[in-house]
Amino acid sequence: MTELKQTNERRRVLSGMRPTGKLHLGNYMGALYNWVNLQNEAIWARHNEAVYECYFFIADLHALTTNYEDLSMLQTDIHEVALDFLAAGLDPEKSVIFVQSDVKLHAELNVLLGNITSLGWLERVPSYKDQQEQLREKELATYGFLGYPLLQSADILIYQPHYVPVGLDQASHVELTREIARRFNQLYPGEFYMADGAAPWELQAVKDRAKKLSGKADKSYFTAHELIAAAPQTKLKSAYGTRKILPEPEVLLTPSPKLPGLDGRKMSKSYDNAIFLSESEPQIRAKLKAMVTDPARIRRDDPGNPEICPVFDLHKVFSPYETRAEVSEGCRTAGIGCIECKQRLADNVVEALAPIQERRRKYEADSKLVDEILDAGGKRAWKRADETMRQVSEVMGLRYRSVIC
Ligand code: SF4
């Protein structure tokens, strides 16, 4: 099967985040920071043209899979995440920013793909068992929880993206999506397209004939089988290739630096060890002051090892080279105390968050604007998803009535 050549298109990128409420430094450095960079990446040589066509969404349907018992905070959490998306620098003029459930077609594709996804694939997803272990207090032996990686695949494939930006630890999550796309494309080969050497009028001739054979004068989309039937001449047939309706997306590896929380474990809201993007300067300073350090530094004159200290991991992300070098040297020689070291880190964290917090204040003061951005993003996303659903439905032989909202 020949791949569709998409060399002149902007590369489409898609990623999403669950609405967990206010976002923290770990969410920012692990995802948002990279998304903003992708959004802003431009080819200067081609009139500053954006490299990627970006779709970023708030995955509210995924919140249901683990929190279905209490959704009282869901809308508040969606709003907080939207504020942080915008505060971090996602720009509605450059990226499509939307809420997953505003594009109902995700759920529709999920149902269609559910029929070709084996249970074994879903049961083998590592996070299925891990999360059931970690969230023992919740009843997660549900159809929705088992199926969340499939919904994730539908979320991705419905935009036919080239890339899914993820950190190294999440790269395997995209593999299931690729597997599902492969099976779909095998079962439902898409429309023929012209390979090198075929003239445009030849394809038109085949389409006209396919229209006649189908008996439908207004037919505009043809399955591979219909076009094969309409192109009996061997010469003509060899001039076409088959397009994959659901191209397998590639992983776009993005940096995800180690970002420990205040207790040294991975920064996470559920561990209650996070520093939030919207926290005030006194809150940030107080939290960092209490952060765990190298346990060997009990007294001020004990030398320490910055490489095993979580505070230094944050220095690596937020402090310039000179500060890191001075702190590292000072820690090893007991030339600097932990209090001073943390103060210097706090200075840099506060400085890094200042523009983010300023933008947040602007959007906080105008929640109607945030709603409008999400509504507009939902409409743009729907339009793109509708294109895929039309192709998917037609190639599967289903009726499809496009309802652009
Ligand atoms: S001086 Fe800094 S890097 Fe060294 S142990 Fe204290 S907090 Fe950690």
Side-chain angles (χ1 to χ4, degrees), residues 293-294 297 304-306 309 311-312 315 327 331 336-338 341-342:
T293 61
D294 172 3
R297 283 206 83 180
N305 178 1
C309 177
V311 174
F312 195 68
H315 268 297
V327 163
C331 178
I336 183 174
C338 291
C341 174
K342 289 172 173 179

Side-chain angles (χ1 to χ4, degrees), residues 290-304:
M291 188 166 183
V292 297
T293 61
D294 172 3
R297 283 206 83 180
I298 298 165
R299 290 179 298 272
R300 169 68 179 77
D301 50 3
D302 290 331

Side-chain angles (χ1 to χ4, degrees), residues 207-266:
K207 283 188 170 179
D208 289 345
R209 189 170 151 73
K211 214 183 269 184
K212 254 191 206 150
L213 287 176
S214 73
K216 292 180 190 160
D218 60 345
K219 197 167 165 63
S220 62
Y221 189 87
F222 303 93
T223 65
H225 300 298
E226 287 167 335
L227 285 169
I228 289 168
Q233 305 98 312
T234 329
K235 186 173 157 267
L236 207 56
K237 264 192 209 174
S238 65
Y240 299 101
T242 311
R243 184 172 71 148
K244 292 178 180 178
I245 295 292
L246 298 180
E248 292 171 40
E250 301 285 337
V251 162
L252 185 66
L253 273 185
T254 48
S256 51
K258 188 177 173 196
L259 218 119
L262 302 171
D263 57 2
R265 292 185 290 174
K266 186 179 175 184

